[in-house]
Amino acid sequence: IFMTGSAGSLQEDVKRKDLILPNKFMYYDAHNTSAGNYVEGQIPQEPAGYTLDNSFRAKFTAYLKEHDIPFKEGLIVTGDSFIASEAQKDEIKKNFSDALGVEMEGAAFAQVARHFNPPPKPPEGHFCYGCARYGLGCVRPCYRDAEKNDKTSC
């Protein structure tokens, strides 16, 4: 999934037209800490946040760096309200002081993607250490020599 959109800044150094590359999404308006062993922003039976870490993201990051395209990288928080005041921003920053921006879709996209397209896991006994081409969860047939313990990339 490649998602683009707009977000409101939560940091002084994040300005209009800045490119933000999220490395994690969290909900700022899920308040379930009294419902069990949950952190602020965590929906019950879901992870505390949705970390974005895969080979496609790494390639995009490399592209931005290779082409000297400036960007900031960090946490984006998601909620159901349009944030239009400093008081609202300050309330969010009480729990998510390192968040770069706030928007209304990112964590929901990440949550749905987690449920409907989980990262593949190698089959049991599959001789795979992950490779640059398909990532750590590679389930492609490898042309490696398991007898010789060959760990060369596919």
Side-chain angles (χ1 to χ4, degrees):
I1 295 174
F2 193 89
M3 188 180 108
T4 64
S6 59
S9 171
L10 290 174
Q11 302 296 330
E12 290 291 323
D13 66 334
V14 176
K15 306 292 185 198
R16 186 179 307 151
K17 297 184 181 181
D18 280 353
L19 175 61
I20 305 298
L21 185 60
N23 60 17
K24 187 175 189 177
F25 283 110
M26 294 182 77
Y27 290 104
Y28 71 80
D29 59 355
H31 309 290
N32 298 299
T33 56
S34 63
N37 190 22
Y38 299 111
V39 299
E40 187 64 30
Q42 185 175 5
I43 293 175
Q45 300 178 10
E46 292 290 333
Y50 301 92
T51 301
L52 309 176
D53 183 23
N54 61 48
S55 61
F56 298 110
R57 186 181 182 289
K59 288 177 187 177
F60 185 66
T61 303
Y63 175 88
L64 293 173
K65 290 177 180 178
E66 287 169 19
H67 292 85
D68 294 321
I69 299 171
F71 69 97
K72 293 175 175 50
E73 192 170 12
L75 171 66
I76 298 292
V77 293
T78 299
D80 287 333
S81 298
F82 187 82
I83 305 304
S85 72
E86 289 298 319
Q88 288 173 300
K89 289 169 57 172
D90 291 342
E91 192 63 32
I92 292 168
K93 290 193 288 187
K94 285 181 185 176
N95 293 313
F96 304 97
S97 61
D98 59 336
L100 297 180
V102 55
E103 48 79 86
M104 298 175 76
E105 299 90 13
F109 272 100
Q111 182 180 356
V112 169
R114 179 179 176 271
H115 284 277
F116 289 98
N117 190 17
K121 294 181 180 157
E124 183 121 0
H126 182 65
F127 186 80
C128 188
Y129 291 87
C131 61
R133 185 171 180 190
Y134 297 110
L136 292 174
C138 172
V139 294
R140 299 276 191 174
C142 287
Y143 300 97
R144 302 177 186 174
D145 188 345
E147 298 291 317
K148 294 180 181 173
N149 201 25
D150 179 11
K151 300 176 190 172
T152 308
S153 296
C154 295

